[in-house]
Amino acid sequence: MAASAHALHEMIEWLDGADVEVARVGGKGASLNRLARAGFRIPPGFCLTTDAFATHAASLPGTDILRSDPALLRDDAARTRLVEAMLREPLTAAVALALASPLDRLSGLTMGDRGQAPLLAVRSSGVAEDGAHASFAGLHDTELGLTVDDVIPAVLRCWASLWSDRAVGYRARRGLALDGGAMAVVVQALVPARSAAVAFTRHPVSGRTDQLLINAVPGLGEAMVSGTVTPDTIVVDKAERTVVEFTPGDSGGGPALADDVLAALVALCLEVEAAFRAPVDIEAAHAADGWYLLQARPITTP
């Protein structure tokens, strides 16, 4: 039976500041949408909701047992079979149909100073992700620099990462539901970044709330997040907005952020902290037309 128009609509939520439910768009999707609602600039994109995940997962062998007994994920062999089924089986026709129009809309945009159609970023968005009590930072998949044809395989890998060994172990240690509930996936235009930054509005080592710590690299931030390059480390006094400590990274081309670009990032970080009313961990990318926020989540560590 063909999927109804309503069912297809339930699988897509545009991240444009309208009301969304965390249970449908996951923590990352909800955080991005919250930023958009507060007037901050995020890359254009949408969320493939947990309805899409549920529709596809229901077609996979073994997931009926998982729903009745999530402890199955403690068994490595059973967990591996679920992951392999997710990666092996073709995307359910209804979900593929729901994706078609949003992907066509994204591919019609232009990004950057060359006016080119954007490459895409596909990011996992678990329902417990980026919350006030558990961030799941780096545990679920993100893939960058994709074409439209790359999106469906990347979505399947993001869904499969919900059941990865490290994600299940993290949930077990924190007493969370082992199956993770569900996984949404954020699909956005990839910012043609000249530089990228991760910022903490509370110093992550000293715990000082009067300092902001920034890690920055030229280009995309994927290598920094994965730990394959050493970024510049910049400590800023929040009241004076002055640099109190600078440790260069290994890019070798001078500071990753020019003074005016750094000043704009500091101002942006403080605005996000004020909007969230809590210390935040921010990921951002700087393009020819300024900063884009890629993520903002409450800092969950003491």
Side-chain angles (χ1 to χ4, degrees):
M1 180 183 296
S4 68
H6 175 72
L8 295 179
H9 174 75
E10 290 298 303
M11 295 185 192
I12 301 293
E13 287 281 4
W14 284 92
L15 301 174
D16 55 9
D19 288 340
V20 296
E21 299 175 20
V22 176
R24 296 187 65 245
V25 302
K28 188 176 280 90
S31 177
L32 284 163
N33 198 66
R34 180 180 181 181
L35 289 169
R37 184 187 300 121
F40 297 108
R41 184 165 62 165
I42 65 171
F46 63 90
C47 191
L48 187 65
T49 70
T50 54
D51 296 271
F53 172 86
T55 297
H56 182 71
S59 71
L60 302 180
T63 53
D64 52 340
I65 302 173
L66 176 61
R67 286 190 292 272
S68 61
D69 184 16
L72 174 72
L73 290 168
R74 292 185 182 273
D75 180 86
D76 282 346
R79 183 185 55 75
T80 299
R81 285 194 296 271
L82 287 169
V83 169
E84 290 176 347
M86 178 66 81
L87 298 177
R88 180 184 64 242
E89 300 297 327
L91 185 65
T92 305
V95 182
L97 182 60
L99 269 172
S101 178
L103 286 176
D104 185 61
R105 177 173 161 184
L106 271 190
S107 65
L109 301 176
T110 57
M111 291 285 288
D113 51 1
R114 296 183 181 180
Q116 296 175 327
L119 293 173
L120 303 175
V122 174
R123 306 173 188 275
S124 61
S125 183
V127 294
E129 199 169 325
D130 295 349
H133 303 292
S135 72
F136 285 84
L139 291 180
H140 298 142
D141 280 11
T142 286
E143 300 194 20
L144 307 178
L146 307 181
T147 66
V148 168
D149 292 339
D150 297 327
V151 168
I152 287 177
V155 166
L156 294 174
R157 288 190 289 270
C158 283
W159 282 344
S161 72
L162 182 69
W163 301 327
S164 70
D165 178 59
R166 59 183 183 172
V168 171
Y170 181 90
R171 289 193 289 269
R173 289 191 300 274
R174 288 182 170 256
L176 303 172
L178 288 179
D179 64 355
M183 174 74 79
V185 177
V186 170
V187 182
Q188 292 177 292
L190 181 67
V191 177
R194 296 177 170 181
S195 54
V198 174
F200 303 85
T201 63
R202 185 181 70 202
H203 197 295
V205 178
S206 68
R208 290 181 59 163
T209 58
D210 61 335
Q211 290 185 339
L212 187 153
L213 184 140
I214 297 169
N215 292 324
V217 293
L220 296 173
E222 183 179 20
M224 170 175 57
V225 174
S226 66
T228 58
V229 301
T230 301
D232 293 350
T233 299
I234 310 158
V235 180
V236 176
D237 180 277
K238 290 164 70 172
E240 300 294 331
R241 302 195 184 188
T242 55
V243 175
V244 297
E245 183 180 334
F246 176 81
T247 305
D250 56 16
S251 64
L257 305 180
D259 290 346
D260 59 331
V261 175
L262 174 60
L265 177 60
V266 170
L268 178 60
C269 290
L270 296 178
E271 290 171 9
V272 175
E273 181 180 53
F276 276 53
R277 298 183 181 180
V280 285
D281 165 3
I282 292 167
E283 293 181 24
H286 187 261
D289 55 351
W291 284 103
Y292 288 81
L293 288 171
L294 308 180
Q295 188 166 282
R297 57 194 172 207
I299 294 175
T300 58
T301 54

